[in-house]
Amino acid sequence: MNSAAAQEAMRPASELESGSQVSRKGRILAWAAWDWGSAAFNAVMTTFVFTVYLTSNAFGGEDQASAVLGGALAVAGAAIALLAPVTGQRSDTGGRRKLWLGVNTAAVALLTALCFFVFPRPEFLLLGVTLIALANVFFEFAGVNYNAMLTQISTPQNIGKVSGFGWGMGYLGGIVALLVVLQLFVQPSFEWFGASTADGLNIRLVAVFSALWFFIFALPVLFAVPELPRSRQGASLGFLASYGLLGRRIKAIYRTSPHTIYFLLASAVFRDGLAAVFTFGGIIAAGTFGFELKEVIFFAIFGNVVAAAGAILGGFLDDRIGPKAVITGSLAGLLTAGTAILVLGNDNHSIFGMAWAGTTTFWIFGLFLCLFVGPAQSSSRAYLARLAPHGETGELFGLYATTGRAVSFLAPALFTLCIAVAAPLVEPGEAQRWGILGIMVVLLAGLLLLLPVKAPDKTEIAIVPAS
């Protein structure tokens, strides 16, 4: 055997390469159902309905409430960075990936349901943002194990499509959930007690609906995808000792596959910007562009259709041209659309002799934002799954969550800072628009960090110590 062949034989396999070469449609559907259900938290609670409710005048004014929400999410990101590093590692070694997915999903559902007690008064703002922030923490923990399951249900030939299908299901689930919310609670088709707007009852009941939606659609994956086998090595480590092992493995990854670390760092930055697009999108639509809640929901429905199409198309492109090209193109598109929203704002313009209203600006360029967010998210997940060493996918996605949340204060903090800086310089109610600038800065920084990172097919799989 020549030296090149010997090196290839000794090359460690990723968990994806060493897994099944045949994917089962039933497991893929069950896995994607979790994404479908999670839309009730992502689209309804944190983007288009409940956070819009939290940042309304009922809670002390749009600018102040937006700043408080941004601060709470920044604190949540710091908590995740401290607590998540060993989540995936311990689920890998302990054979409890599915168990912890279920536990953390149940915690998100419970915290979401408790939002029912957030009444539309300023004194309830802190309770509301605290529940949303805590739910974000547990949602991220659940996502570590959910993302790691990608290698259990896909193959090297279809991982991009499977990841894109999952994101697409999430967006489509968001459409259905938002339509239900619109017809039952926001603009009810018939009279019933849940349609009452007294004390914000209809929106508070949306929280209960969202909790049930997420929990019910999270159940299939817990039955269809098998649990991991328990690893003998490292399974008995204490929680604090796991951090020591994590440190040794990070050093080993950097030594044997440095571009894996480079991607984790670059993606941490641009994923924070992607999350902010959705977190603050509905808030900006309502506060800056004057959308009523029902208009925000209509935009969300159209936006999710576009986002689902983008995620699915991006998945097909991922398997053909590679995830890095998909992510790079998506970030460039996001920067272009976001800059247009910032520059044009809610003012009326004349473009080529035609009247252009502020709402037109948000509809057109907001939908372009939706188109590009899905592929960037989906291909980031597929990129990392291709590089996960055998038996270490959960830990690597734990690092994915940790690095992401370690900098997750960036976009909320810059969003808040830009509002605070602009507030004394612009008319009341106009400062929120400048929060977009903070999000664009984060996306640009992520793109610049990504450009020198090698594509996964040009990156070695890391060799990590067992204990």
Side-chain angles (χ1 to χ4, degrees):
M1 182 182 291
N2 59 41
S3 59
Q7 289 177 358
E8 182 63 27
M10 295 175 61
R11 180 179 181 272
S14 69
E15 186 166 311
L16 179 67
E17 293 171 330
S18 58
S20 172
Q21 297 303 299
V22 178
S23 54
R24 301 181 185 179
K25 291 182 179 179
R27 288 182 179 177
I28 292 173
L29 288 172
W31 177 79
W34 191 93
D35 253 326
W36 173 286
S38 71
F41 181 72
N42 285 326
V44 177
M45 294 299 293
T46 67
T47 306
F48 295 112
V49 180
F50 199 79
T51 51
V52 173
Y53 166 71
L54 274 181
T55 54
S56 66
N57 286 327
F59 289 91
E62 295 164 353
D63 290 347
Q64 183 210 0
S66 296
V68 173
L69 176 62
L73 293 176
V75 172
I80 292 168
L82 291 172
L83 299 174
V86 299
T87 298
Q89 177 200 112
R90 295 179 69 80
S91 67
D92 282 339
T93 57
R96 295 189 294 266
R97 180 178 292 170
K98 185 166 67 174
L99 169 66
W100 285 111
L101 174 62
V103 169
N104 289 308
T105 297
V108 175
L110 176 61
L111 289 164
T112 300
L114 289 174
C115 288
F116 174 79
F117 299 102
V118 179
F119 291 87
R121 292 190 284 276
E123 59 266 29
F124 286 91
L125 175 63
L126 185 58
L127 173 62
V129 298
T130 300
L131 289 172
I132 290 294
L134 282 174
N136 268 278
V137 172
F138 287 103
F139 186 82
E140 194 68 50
F141 290 166
V144 168
N145 294 292
Y146 174 74
N147 288 334
M149 282 184 175
L150 178 59
T151 57
Q152 295 176 249
I153 60 165
S154 62
T155 70
Q157 291 72 39
N158 71 1
I159 184 172
K161 290 193 289 288
V162 172
S163 183
F165 176 69
W167 280 108
M169 284 284 283
Y171 291 127
L172 292 174
I175 295 170
V176 178
L178 286 167
L179 282 172
V180 174
V181 166
L182 182 65
Q183 294 299 313
L184 290 183
F185 303 101
V186 177
Q187 197 175 10
S189 300
F190 55 91
E191 288 297 323
W192 71 296
F193 78 91
S196 172
T197 59
D199 266 341
L201 177 63
N202 59 330
I203 304 301
R204 293 188 291 117
L205 283 174
V206 165
V208 178
F209 163 79
S210 299
L212 291 172
W213 179 278
F214 187 17
F215 184 77
I216 290 170
F217 284 106
L219 292 176
V221 70
L222 302 178
F223 292 99
V225 180
E227 185 60 279
L228 287 177
R230 184 180 178 87
S231 171
R232 292 182 179 180
Q233 293 181 314
S236 60
L237 281 178
F239 186 79
L240 293 179
S242 295
Y243 280 90
L245 177 58
L246 179 71
R248 294 192 295 274
R249 285 180 171 169
I250 292 173
K251 291 179 182 178
I253 292 172
Y254 182 75
R255 185 174 62 252
T256 59
S257 181
H259 281 266
T260 299
I261 298 295
Y262 300 156
F263 176 74
L264 285 170
L265 296 176
S267 71
V269 177
F270 71 69
R271 284 185 292 121
D272 188 41
L274 297 175
V277 169
F278 274 104
T279 300
F280 297 109
I283 295 169
I284 291 169
T288 299
F289 291 88
F291 282 34
E292 299 292 334
L293 182 55
K294 65 180 180 180
E295 293 175 306
V296 173
I297 294 176
F298 278 128
F299 175 83
I301 292 168
F302 282 100
N304 275 8
V305 172
V306 172
I312 293 171
L313 176 61
F316 279 94
L317 290 174
D318 184 300
D319 288 328
R320 286 161 177 76
I321 66 175
K324 182 182 176 182
V326 173
I327 299 167
T328 301
S330 297
L331 292 177
L334 283 161
L335 286 167
T336 302
T339 300
I341 293 174
L342 176 62
V343 172
L344 296 175
N346 196 31
D347 297 328
N348 295 322
H349 301 275
S350 178
I351 300 178
F352 300 114
M354 296 184 296
W356 182 286
T359 53
T360 303
T361 295
F362 192 82
W363 269 101
I364 291 178
F365 292 105
L367 290 178
F368 270 110
L369 286 173
C370 295
L371 179 67
F372 291 116
V373 167
Q377 292 172 320
S378 172
S379 288
S380 295
R381 177 166 66 186
Y383 187 116
L384 194 64
R386 288 178 169 96
L387 296 179
H390 180 70
E392 307 294 333
T393 305
E395 181 175 68
L396 198 58
F397 273 108
L399 286 172
Y400 187 66
T402 299
T403 52
R405 290 304 181 171
V407 300
S408 65
F409 64 90
L410 282 176
L414 286 176
F415 179 82
T416 304
L417 177 63
C418 287
I419 292 175
V421 171
L425 305 175
V426 299
E427 295 295 323
E430 292 291 323
Q432 188 191 68
R433 165 186 168 187
W434 291 94
I436 301 170
L437 179 61
I439 299 173
M440 294 301 104
V441 168
V442 175
L443 288 172
L444 177 60
L447 175 59
L448 295 176
L449 288 170
L450 177 67
L451 290 178
V453 179
K454 291 182 180 179
D457 60 347
K458 298 178 181 178
T459 303
E460 292 295 321
I461 303 299
I463 302 173
V464 297
S467 60

